[in-house]
């Protein structure tokens, strides 16, 4: 049996060590997290060699590049048992030294500037702000806007997002910054509530009867009980659950009702009507709930999202981001007031736009956008057929994830005219974001205890699936021109070369 080939991330490069290298040898050569690559079925494994032998390292990497899917599946975390690893490279293209980068360029201009400047001021990755911000936008839109993919299939802006990272990496500061436009909306709602409450107190019946007091409308909550969520949804068009630690929320399910809460939350992600029967108060019925979830999770607690050895689809519902995050250093860079104000105005516009009680606005694809979504749908189905376990579950929900991301981007771009057709460029932007999350979900699989098989993700996965589709065609004997690849994947020349 071939011994595992160990390699270590050292700075910005990878150092390959001899077969069967001991932990002590690895420690001597590495100052960064360690990963062990198990033998890959059907792929050549280079024998013992000196770490400085560039030629043998190149041949080894080439052997992995020919079996990218197997390489992603076989990445193990031998060093995890030693408690020395905070990140893994599961699912990344062979030879890559960093996780798939966040495609910040596809965000609407105002959102992109807000994210870029906030990330620079805090010394954190941009997704620490961008991902929760999209979840907050979904709650601001609520159930007053929906995307019709075809007759009988409608998606609302429901996103469950989680930033993965160790304590102290900046998850919370990023989320608090992203929450600023939501806080502005909540502050306005509270001011309106206070005005109504004071008027009700002044109009108290003279016979000493109790005044009919208003109830506060909320756009976010930190109370995880299903009853509390249902109560708030009775007065709100959308809601976001904010939790610093998502795993603690998931682990507390069914604390009071065995087997009920987790299943109810599964249905909430799907947008299923919510009905809560209560013994001491009237029942609550919400026909079109929009409940987003935003938070963070430590790598060691990712398994809590899975909730056990039987996959129930809970983890599949999350868009995860696990970038490399270094300890925060001091920066004199401050937030840009103009960028913060622009996003505040944008959020207030999309929230106020649908305050009326008229039926929800229905958004539809343009002809070119529909064709782009159909191509993605078929490519994703092919990829799903090559996966197992949690990776397959996530792929099955990818079309819904994509539609919801696209709807939120559309609303942020068209706050004044949201009912217009959703454009092809918005679908392309949503695909770029979705492929980022596919790659990072695969990156998290080992920590979830998943032994399933994944496929290449990110831009590399998009190119591979496009090549596979082209090889099945009779035209040009299965060959594709570079220009065809760029057109079909919607990648520019530099992105295509990197992929």
């Amino acid at each position: 049996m071939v011994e595992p080939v160990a390699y270590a991330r050292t700075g910005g490069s990878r150092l390959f060590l001899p077969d069967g290298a001991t932990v002590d040898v690895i420690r001597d050569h590495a100052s960064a997290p360690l990963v062990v690559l198990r033998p890959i079925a059907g792929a050549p494994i280079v024998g013992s060699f000196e770490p400085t032998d560039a030629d043998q390292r190149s041949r080894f990497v080439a052997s992995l590049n020919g079996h990218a899917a197997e390489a992603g599946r076989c990445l193990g975390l031998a060093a995890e048992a030693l408690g020395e690893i905070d990140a893994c490279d599961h699912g990344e293209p062979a030879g890559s030294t960093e996780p798939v980068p966040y495609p910040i360029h596809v965000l609407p201009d105002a959102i992109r500037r807000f994210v870029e400047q906030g990330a620079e001021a805090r010394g954190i990755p941009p997704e620490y702000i961008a991902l929760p911000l999209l979840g907050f936008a979904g709650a601001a839109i609520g159930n007053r806007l929906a995307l019709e993919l075809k007759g009988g299939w409608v998606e609302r802006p429901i996103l469950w997002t989680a930033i993965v990272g160790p304590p102290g990496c900046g998850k919370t500061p990023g989320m608090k910054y992203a929450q600023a436009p939501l806080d502005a909306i909540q502050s306005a709602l509270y001011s309106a509530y206070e005005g109504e409450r004071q008027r009700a107190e002044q109009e108290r019946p003279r016979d000493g009867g109790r005044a009919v007091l208003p109830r506060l409308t909320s756009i976010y909550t930190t109370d995880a009980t299903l009853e509390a969520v249902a109560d708030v949804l009775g007065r709100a068009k959308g809601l976001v659950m904010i939790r610093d630690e998502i795993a603690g929320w998931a682990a507390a399910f069914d604390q009071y009702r065995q087997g009920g809460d987790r299943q109810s939350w599964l249905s909430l992600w799907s947008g299923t009507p919510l009905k809560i029967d209560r013994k001491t108060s009237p029942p609550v019925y919400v026909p079109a709930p929009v409940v987003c979830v935003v938070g963070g999770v430590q790598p060691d607690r990712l398994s809590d999202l899975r909730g056990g050895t039987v996959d129930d689809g809970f983890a599949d519902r999350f868009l995860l981001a696990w970038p490399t995050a270094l300890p925060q250093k001091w920066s004199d860079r401050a937030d840009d007031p103009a960028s913060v104000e622009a996003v505040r105005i944008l959020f207030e516009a999309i929230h106020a736009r649908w305050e009326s009680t008229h039926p929800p606005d229905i958004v539809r694809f343009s002809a070119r956008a529909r064709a782009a979504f159909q191509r993605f749908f078929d490519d994703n189905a092919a990829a799903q057929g090559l996966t197992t376990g949690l990776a397959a579950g996530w792929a099955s929900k990818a079309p819904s994830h994509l539609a919801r991301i696209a709807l939120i981007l559309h609303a942020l771009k068209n706050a004044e005219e949201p009912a217009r057709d959703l454009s092809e460029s918005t679908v392309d932007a949503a695909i770029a974001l979705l492929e980022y999350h596919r790659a990072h979900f695969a990156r998290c699989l080992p920590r979830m205890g998943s032994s399933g098989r994944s496929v290449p993700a990110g831009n590399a996965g998009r190119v591979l699936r496009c090549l596979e589709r082209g090889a099945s065609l009779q035209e040009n004997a299965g060959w594709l021109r570079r220009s065809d690849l760029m057109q079909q994947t919607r990648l520019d020349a530099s992105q295509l070369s990197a992929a």
Side-chain angles (χ1 to χ4, degrees):
M1 177 178 178
V2 181
E3 289 293 321
V5 176
Y7 65 90
R9 289 177 54 179
T10 306
S13 61
R14 285 195 173 152
L15 175 66
F16 293 92
L17 302 175
D19 288 354
T22 65
V23 172
D24 288 337
V25 171
I26 295 173
R27 281 175 173 158
D28 289 340
H29 287 84
S31 58
L34 311 177
V35 178
V36 168
L37 182 64
R38 300 189 184 96
I40 301 173
I45 299 294
V46 175
S48 298
F49 54 85
E50 292 296 323
T52 56
D53 189 327
D55 182 60
Q56 288 190 326
R57 286 203 306 274
S58 298
R59 291 203 302 272
F60 180 74
V61 172
S63 73
L64 298 188
N65 286 336
H67 299 79
E70 284 295 307
R73 181 176 67 85
C74 295
L75 277 174
L77 299 179
E80 183 174 20
L82 303 174
E84 294 183 357
I85 185 165
D86 286 326
C88 74
D89 295 297
H90 182 92
E92 293 180 26
S96 171
T97 60
E98 294 294 334
V100 173
Y102 191 76
I104 191 172
H105 63 283
V106 305
L107 297 176
D109 290 342
I111 300 297
R112 178 182 50 77
R113 287 191 293 269
F114 177 83
V115 170
E116 285 178 338
Q117 294 172 359
E120 290 176 5
R122 288 160 182 77
I124 57 178
E127 48 266 73
Y128 278 22
I129 298 170
L131 185 55
L133 189 65
L134 292 179
F136 295 151
I141 297 165
N143 59 15
R144 311 311 299 166
L145 189 68
L147 174 62
E148 183 182 75
L149 285 78
K150 62 180 181 179
W153 185 1
V154 174
E155 294 286 353
R156 293 189 287 274
I158 304 171
L159 292 187
W160 288 12
T161 72
I163 297 293
V164 183
C169 66
K171 300 190 301 293
T172 299
M175 188 164 64
K176 293 301 182 185
Y177 173 73
Q179 192 177 324
L182 209 65
D183 286 335
I185 294 174
Q186 188 62 68
S187 178
L189 292 172
Y190 185 77
S191 295
Y193 158 76
E194 273 294 293
E196 293 176 9
R197 186 188 65 79
Q198 292 175 10
R199 286 192 295 273
E201 289 283 4
Q202 294 170 359
E203 297 171 359
R204 181 185 296 273
R206 295 181 179 179
D207 59 4
R210 306 182 82 183
V212 179
L213 299 179
R215 303 184 68 183
L216 175 65
T217 299
S218 297
I219 194 171
Y220 69 83
T221 183
T222 57
D223 188 342
T225 65
L226 200 61
E227 287 78 4
V229 168
D231 186 62
V232 174
L233 281 175
R235 302 183 300 280
K237 60 184 180 180
L239 181 70
V240 58
M241 168 76 68
I242 304 175
R243 303 285 291 189
D244 278 345
E245 181 52 67
I246 292 288
W249 166 63
F253 281 149
D254 307 326
Q255 186 173 359
Y256 304 105
R257 295 192 309 133
Q258 186 64 34
D261 281 0
R262 190 175 179 94
Q263 290 301 317
S264 296
W265 278 97
L266 291 173
S267 297
L268 274 178
W269 181 88
S270 302
T272 304
L274 176 65
K275 182 175 181 292
I276 300 291
D277 295 311
R278 301 180 290 189
K279 294 181 180 179
T280 59
S281 56
V284 175
Y285 177 69
V286 184
V290 169
V291 182
C292 299
V293 177
V294 168
V297 60
Q298 297 180 30
D300 290 339
R301 299 205 62 184
L302 277 167
S303 59
D304 288 337
L305 292 185
R306 188 179 185 186
T309 58
V310 177
D311 299 332
D312 61 1
F314 187 81
D316 313 344
R317 285 159 164 75
F318 278 88
L319 298 176
L320 301 176
W322 189 355
T324 298
L326 301 175
Q328 294 171 269
K329 295 182 178 180
W330 173 258
S331 171
D332 288 328
R333 183 74 178 265
D335 293 337
D336 176 44
S339 296
V340 174
E341 180 68 5
V343 172
R344 182 192 67 78
I345 293 173
L346 178 58
F347 265 62
E348 289 182 350
I350 63 175
H351 184 259
R353 172 66 176 76
W354 298 287
E355 280 298 330
S356 63
T357 57
H358 68 76
D361 286 328
I362 301 298
V363 177
R364 294 176 176 82
F365 287 126
S366 69
R368 293 175 64 90
R370 177 174 296 279
F373 183 86
Q374 289 172 344
R375 285 194 301 271
F376 167 84
F377 190 93
D378 291 342
D379 288 348
N380 181 72
Q384 182 182 344
L386 300 174
T387 61
T388 59
L390 287 177
W394 194 93
S396 72
K397 296 174 181 62
S400 292
H401 285 311
L402 175 62
R404 296 171 184 196
I405 295 171
L407 178 61
I408 292 171
L409 294 179
H410 173 82
L412 292 171
K413 290 179 179 179
N414 303 281
E416 301 301 323
E417 193 181 355
R420 66 185 302 177
D421 286 351
L422 194 147
S423 68
E424 181 186 23
S425 63
T426 300
V427 173
D428 291 339
I431 290 174
L433 291 170
L434 184 86
E435 291 300 337
Y436 165 89
H437 290 297
R438 189 197 301 269
H440 280 246
F441 189 84
R443 179 172 164 81
C444 295
L445 286 176
R447 289 299 184 90
M448 293 185 189
S450 175
S451 58
R453 183 174 69 251
S454 62
V455 296
N459 287 344
R462 296 171 66 183
V463 172
L464 179 60
R465 288 190 287 277
C466 184
L467 289 172
E468 290 173 342
R469 183 174 65 247
S472 66
L473 301 176
Q474 299 300 319
E475 300 177 9
N476 302 320
W479 287 89
L480 284 176
R481 293 187 297 270
R482 182 181 177 87
S483 58
D484 293 332
L485 273 176
M486 292 174 63
Q487 181 179 5
Q488 293 183 32
T489 60
R490 314 300 295 180
L491 301 176
D492 61 30
S494 60
Q495 291 171 326
L496 185 61
S497 296

